[in-house]
Amino acid sequence: MHPTKRPAAARLLILAAGALLLVLGLIQGGYRDTLVKAVHICLECVGIG
């Protein structure tokens, strides 16, 4: 591998790993937990929750 190609390959690998982890989190429903926590924090700040 040419020395100038390594940074591009590393970026591509990191991008692919990030996309994979994002998809796995969506499949497992991790966004729901985050949304519920965010709603509770917002409601507590306003004084409703």
Side-chain angles (χ1 to χ4, degrees), residues 2-49:
H2 197 271
T4 59
K5 296 281 185 181
R6 284 190 181 176
R11 284 187 203 125
L12 188 61
L13 181 63
I14 291 171
L15 179 66
L20 176 66
L21 291 173
L22 181 67
V23 169
L24 288 175
L26 289 172
I27 290 171
Q28 291 179 347
Y31 66 93
R32 283 187 223 124
D33 296 333
T34 305
L35 180 63
V36 168
K37 288 177 185 179
V39 168
H40 285 295
I41 289 172
C42 286
L43 290 177
E44 286 178 9
C45 286
V46 175
I48 297 174

